[in-house]
């Protein structure tokens, strides 16, 4: 006798609305975050950066598919979550997107490598929570979030190195 297969929760009719909502939230995150970024500012150009920092053009190239994977994974997991887990997952995703956009404001907007570092560490913690919650619902969606978490961990290491190299640099000393 074969053991009974565990039934996966199937997406409800109108699942496109969930994907549209996660795509809209992720797109808003990218747009809000990008408004603060000015890699050509005197402040940013004056920072000492490690030799292992990728060229600036790679960031957009990397973030585009990462944002797409967040939107897909969020929608996929939310559609499969049982009611009692759906709200917690949606809250975790929303907080994660808020922290994602906040990093740009902290680092570039405030011109603070230290504030950026604090923000990216919080984002890493949020990524771990989001992956944990998503894994409890759907392994494929959780797996789709792993490259995002890995890139954010890389960004944390990069931000930490930049903060270390520029301990004396402050927004007050560095104009626009």
């Amino acid at each position: 006798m074969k053991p009974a297969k565990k039934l996966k929760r199937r997406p409800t009719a109108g699942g496109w609305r969930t994907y549209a909502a996660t795509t809209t939230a992720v797109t808003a995150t990218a747009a809000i975050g990008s408004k603060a970024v000015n890699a050509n500012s005197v402040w940013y150009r004056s920072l000492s950066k490690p030799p292992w920092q990728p060229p600036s053009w790679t960031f957009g190239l990397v973030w585009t598919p990462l944002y797409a994977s967040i939107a897909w994974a969020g929608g996929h997991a939310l559609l499969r979550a049982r009611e009692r887990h759906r709200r917690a997952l949606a809250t975790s995703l929303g907080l994660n997107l808020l922290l994602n956009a906040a990093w740009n404001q902290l680092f570039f907007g405030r011109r603070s490598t230290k504030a950026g570092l604090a923000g990216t560490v919080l984002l890493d913690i949020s990524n771990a929570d989001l992956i944990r919650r998503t894994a409890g619902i759907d392994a494929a969606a959780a797996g789709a979030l792993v490259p995002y978490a890995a890139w954010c961990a890389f960004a944390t290491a990069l931000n930490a190195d930049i903060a270390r190299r520029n301990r004396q640099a402050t927004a007050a000393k560095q104009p626009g």
Side-chain angles (χ1 to χ4, degrees):
M1 180 174 206
K2 287 185 176 180
K5 284 186 176 181
K6 185 176 178 181
L7 295 176
K8 284 190 174 184
R9 188 168 192 278
R10 297 283 181 215
T12 59
W16 67 269
R17 289 184 189 109
T18 301
Y19 285 109
T22 57
T23 299
T24 300
V26 169
T27 301
T29 297
I32 291 166
S34 69
K35 283 190 176 222
V37 176
N38 185 357
N40 292 318
S41 71
V42 172
W43 172 78
Y44 184 71
R45 285 184 293 137
S46 72
L47 293 174
S48 174
K49 298 170 197 79
W52 50 271
Q53 177 172 321
S56 60
W57 59 265
T58 60
F59 290 91
L61 190 67
V62 170
W63 273 109
T64 301
L66 291 178
Y67 279 134
S69 69
I70 297 165
W72 177 83
H76 193 74
L78 284 168
L79 285 169
R80 284 155 179 75
R82 298 200 183 278
E83 190 60 43
R84 63 188 177 104
H85 296 294
R86 189 174 298 121
R87 184 177 313 271
L89 179 62
T91 299
S92 181
L93 178 60
L95 176 60
N96 185 273
L97 294 175
L98 178 69
L99 290 168
N100 182 300
W103 177 86
N104 296 301
Q105 301 297 328
L106 293 168
F107 187 91
F108 285 100
R110 291 186 60 184
R111 296 183 181 152
S112 174
T113 59
K114 289 179 185 176
L117 182 57
T120 195
V121 167
L122 290 174
L123 180 57
D124 290 336
I125 293 166
S126 176
N127 285 337
D129 177 65
L130 182 60
I131 290 172
R132 179 187 61 81
R133 289 179 188 280
T134 304
I137 297 163
D138 188 87
L145 293 171
V146 171
Y148 166 55
W151 180 257
C152 289
F154 169 76
T156 300
L158 181 59
N159 193 150
D161 198 352
I162 292 171
R164 181 188 59 77
R165 291 167 178 268
N166 297 278
R167 286 189 182 119
Q168 304 306 319
T170 62
K173 289 183 185 177
Q174 302 294 331

